[in-house]
Amino acid sequence: MTDLFEGYEAAPSRRGHDEMFDRFGRPRDTYGIIHDTLQPQTTDDLQARTEALSRAYRDRGVTFALSGEERPFPLDLVPRIIGPAEWARLEAGIVQRVQALEMFLDDVYGEGQVLEDGVVPRRLVHSSPHFHRQVYGLRPGGGVHIHVAGIDLIRDQEGELRVLEDNLRSPSGVSYVMENRRVMAQVFPELFRAQSVAPVDDYPRHLLRALQSCAPWAREPRIVVLTPGVHNSAYFEHALLARLMGVDLVEGRDIICRDDVAYVRTTAGEERVDVVFRRIDDDYLDPLQFRPDSILGVAGLVHAARAGNVSIANAVGNGVADDKLMYSYVPDIIEYYLGEPPILKNVETHRLGDPDARSHVLSHLDEMVVKPVDGSGGYGLVFGPTASDEELASCRADIEADPRSWIAQPVVTLSTAPTLVEGRLRPRHLDLRPFAINDGEKVWVLPGGLTRVALPEGSLVVNSSQGGGSKDTWVLEPARPPAPAPPPPPAPAVEPERHDTAPVPLQFGPADEHERLHQQQLQQQQEGPPWPGDSSGGGPC
């Protein structure tokens, strides 16, 4: 039998941090059970499970659009594991970061005290293409700007997890977190038996509660998920979240605004909308305020929000807090608002608007990663060590022409983890995107997150839009002390002999729920259909 880990020691993980093995090649404590379970497996075993996994994803339509082609979202069989102590620190750091960024957004779209105090340069905020004066002074429903955040993290060579990027507009990927777990439990159930893993299926309930809490006034608010449509690369996620929350999935043409009130067209007529969970970029959200040629958005939606008749989640204008230049100020923002040092560190970042920093970067361009401030999805990055002379020259010219639009970071060797490649486990680089939900009272962090894997050997670009894959991310739950032994049962009382048995009322508990519903359906069939015209409400037309 071939060892699936054969040849793993020769991998580049020795120059960085490997999630499963320490520098002596020993499995880390958190990975002991997984390692021992995988080692006796054969290549054929894992290949069969991989095929079962891909088949399950195709059957459920769990796909991602890459270069215009829909394909199953690649999921690796080896999970990424985070121990309870490390997760507790991560969770606290993410909560701290989201709270501070929430306060920052409320400030820059309000009094602007952080600008007055010089913590963040005023010109930096006001020159950002994501600072929208159209929503200046607009207090979002529930006072919340960031309902959902995705914080990208990487582990550096020393093993420390650092924040690489904040995503506060419409972070995607959580649907793959839930689907990864569901499919892994089907395909590899023995991995779950020996250890307790924090569940991830509670996300829709937390999201729904956060959206309900920001409704302007309705006790039972009508919530919709606004999608750009079936051609959007994250359409699967939009549809899944709407279904799991039990709300409508709509496109811009399904909603109209009249007299500063938003309505959704349904089979039962127009119905008022209280909360729009939008998955459309600001520029396309409202053609009356932003791009007039947008056919994806809803004309008048921002006016309706300003009138207090509808809430938009996430709030318009959040992008001013998550561009790559503002990211470099987040540690100061945390200290300014919360009076405490950041729990999670940033990656060192050079602001190229500073002449000294720009000069340093230009003289070490072949050692840097240069990123466009407004870029996303891994597009526009220049990796100095692998860039050609022509690419470096072009990058230099771009920086000199518009330094405000670029930042530079030293190359960080991302950590690796065993990933199944052509029948063997090979080290591949990865990152982590945990998701946080803010309901205005508490920031809740989904245990785990989306681990993205760069599948080509040596690649540091993990983005799904660049052909990356994913791993199921496990947060191990703390070991629980053994329960005390139950007291011995009392001796059974001697029942007097009974001749008449009293009737026992039929009661339905949770285990009988299915049978109860079945009986109700049979009863309704016997009673005939409901009254003509009876309707339980309509969905979107």
Side-chain angles (χ1 to χ4, degrees), residues 510-523:
D512 298 316
E513 185 66 12
H514 177 76
E515 178 60 21
R516 182 177 65 83
L517 291 173
H518 179 63
Q519 294 294 338
Q520 286 181 344
Q521 290 176 15
L522 286 176
Q523 185 178 1

Side-chain angles (χ1 to χ4, degrees), residues 251-263:
E251 298 182 23
R253 61 191 175 187
D254 297 320
I255 301 181
I256 60 171
C257 289
R258 187 171 55 248
D259 298 331
D260 291 339
V261 177
Y263 299 90

Side-chain angles (χ1 to χ4, degrees), residues 334-356:
I334 291 172
E335 291 203 42
Y336 176 74
Y337 288 111
L338 303 180
E340 55 193 38
I343 297 172
L344 300 174
K345 296 179 181 175
N346 277 14
V347 173
E348 180 186 2
T349 301
H350 301 283
R351 303 164 185 158
L352 301 188
D354 181 297
D356 293 338

